[in-house]
Amino acid sequence: MQGVRYDCINPEADGTRDGREQWLLNTQVALLLGEKDCQLSRYTAWARVPVTPVAKRAIWRLESDRYALTTPALFELGEQLPDYYKGQDPRRMSYRMLESLRADAWERFAAMDMFFVKASDFLYIIPTIQHLRNVKLTMAYCELPENDMQCIRWVPYQKWRHDPDADGLHGFAPGNKHYINGELASEDKPSFREARATPFPRQRIPRRGFVAVAPDDPSYDKHSKDHGLNGSIVDGESPLLANGGHSSPMSVSSRTATAPMNGVESQSPTFNTNATGVATPDGSGNQLVSPSSEAGPAQARPLVNGHHSPPIGTE
């Protein structure tokens, strides 16, 4: 349901308690009541306010697909009407066909005798309507333009900012209200949330590309080893290096591998700590540097294969 503020329907009620009350379209109320009579002739005691052409155009902008039955959720309903989609599958209709249905629906919508009724009047009789008992009904907050200029510019007026309880919304517009048996059950309001101090637990699992490898997969153990995992690790982290960085799972796996290669067992490098507290892979305690990182003659840069590139300027 779209609950429209009364001060948008009648600007003279602006700033009053009655102006903040929400009103409903007769078409929505008739559908909920199961009435074929959209004039709601049985409820003569209800207050009624005619829908202005400006309000009708604004409502059409918001809900044209609902009235034209061009939204996928209502295709099944439209298919029950004789030849409504002109023998076509609504799920495969062209854009021109959709626009034709909307144009035809707008002509009928504009010619309808529409009016607003108080939401409180409708909610009052809900306990007497058998098919609405114990059913949660949601009423959304809605503001409509008051004149042609507002309708053309389509700038929200935000009258709710002047309501007495606006501070409790923390800058957000009023949310949905949920009713059961005509009584307010809950209301959607913004609330504060506390940020989590630690990351959420995560489960590291082996993957084949972007696809996770299931534990019952024959290649699960192989992929686990390739990724440096021993089965599933919950909230596992890569080992820390001496400089505080994280090594990749592949590097961890390669350092811890002890399987012989070509008959020779590979040995993991031994890390020593020099005087500056930085771990070095050799026993000299000298930090590996680039040619331009220290003063004096350029030093050779160690390469992965153990060979040294010539110092800069010696070629």
Side-chain angles (χ1 to χ4, degrees), residues 32-77:
L32 291 171
L33 293 176
E35 292 277 353
K36 294 183 179 180
D37 179 18
C38 290
Q39 299 300 316
L40 303 176
S41 303
R42 295 175 53 189
Y43 307 96
T44 56
W46 288 3
R48 307 177 182 214
V49 177
V51 177
T52 64
V54 173
K56 189 173 288 189
R57 289 198 300 271
I59 294 171
W60 178 257
R61 288 184 182 181
L62 295 173
E63 301 184 351
S64 58
D65 283 333
R66 177 185 298 180
Y67 287 98
L69 301 180
T70 52
T71 181
L74 299 177
F75 284 161
E76 185 177 355
L77 180 60

